[in-house]
Amino acid sequence: MKTSLRNKHMDLKKDIKQLLIYMIYIIVSSLTFYAVHVFLLTSFLDLGTNSLIREQHVFLSLLVLFVYGMVAVVYKVSPIHAAYVLMGLLLAKMILAGMFVYKLGWLDDSETMHKRAVFLVFYLMYSFVLVLMSSKIIKNIGSKE
């Protein structure tokens, strides 16, 4: 009985450590995307202010971390449903990103097409990182059953 409890405790520690490592990967990639946006795009193309850029990247980073965290939690509770939760949360993420763009007033202004395009590129980059990190969780579904 004690050994079983100790093994579960060790597995939980290992899972939390792995989750934190993947979240650090997501944060590092977010900081890299932000640095690319600030230093390359604004320096050479003059696309947006620093506060607007920071707001975009914080929004996208928090969405990715939330979705990844929820998929990891669902995987621990019910591994078979993790992929469904990922797909549903990706849809919710897409809707929230559309609402974010609408809130900025970019849909009504024809002069902000370049800003929308840059936001879309970074949205897709963040989504790629999210799917890459989540696929590491989901590929283990077959081995857990």
Side-chain angles (χ1 to χ4, degrees), residues 23-75:
M23 285 191 159
I24 288 172
Y25 287 155
I26 292 171
I27 291 169
V28 167
S29 63
S30 297
L31 292 173
T32 304
F33 295 156
Y34 176 72
V36 166
H37 197 166
V38 168
F39 296 119
L40 292 179
L41 294 178
T42 57
S43 298
F44 297 113
L45 300 176
D46 192 33
L47 294 176
T49 62
N50 282 339
S51 64
L52 179 62
I53 293 169
R54 187 173 32 258
E55 186 177 323
Q56 291 175 26
H57 286 277
V58 166
F59 172 75
L60 290 171
S61 296
L62 289 177
L63 273 179
V64 168
L65 286 170
F66 174 75
V67 171
Y68 180 75
M70 291 304 297
V71 169
V73 167
V74 168
Y75 179 75

Side-chain angles (χ1 to χ4, degrees), residues 36-136:
V36 166
H37 197 166
V38 168
F39 296 119
L40 292 179
L41 294 178
T42 57
S43 298
F44 297 113
L45 300 176
D46 192 33
L47 294 176
T49 62
N50 282 339
S51 64
L52 179 62
I53 293 169
R54 187 173 32 258
E55 186 177 323
Q56 291 175 26
H57 286 277
V58 166
F59 172 75
L60 290 171
S61 296
L62 289 177
L63 273 179
V64 168
L65 286 170
F66 174 75
V67 171
Y68 180 75
M70 291 304 297
V71 169
V73 167
V74 168
Y75 179 75
K76 285 304 285 177
V77 174
S78 176
I80 197 75
H81 295 106
Y84 298 116
V85 169
L86 175 63
M87 294 305 293
L89 289 175
L90 283 175
L91 178 63
K93 180 178 170 277
M94 188 184 317
I95 292 169
L96 288 172
M99 290 171 55
F100 181 79
V101 169
Y102 180 75
K103 179 191 84 113
L104 293 175
W106 289 354
L107 296 178
D108 302 330
D109 189 9
S110 62
E111 306 235 346
T112 59
M113 181 60 186
H114 60 283
K115 291 179 183 178
R116 282 183 278 178
V118 169
F119 179 81
L120 179 64
V121 167
F122 281 105
Y123 173 83
L124 293 174
M125 290 168 64
Y126 277 96
S127 295
F128 176 76
V129 169
L130 173 63
V131 170
L132 183 69
M133 292 295 130
S134 296
S135 68
K136 293 178 186 288

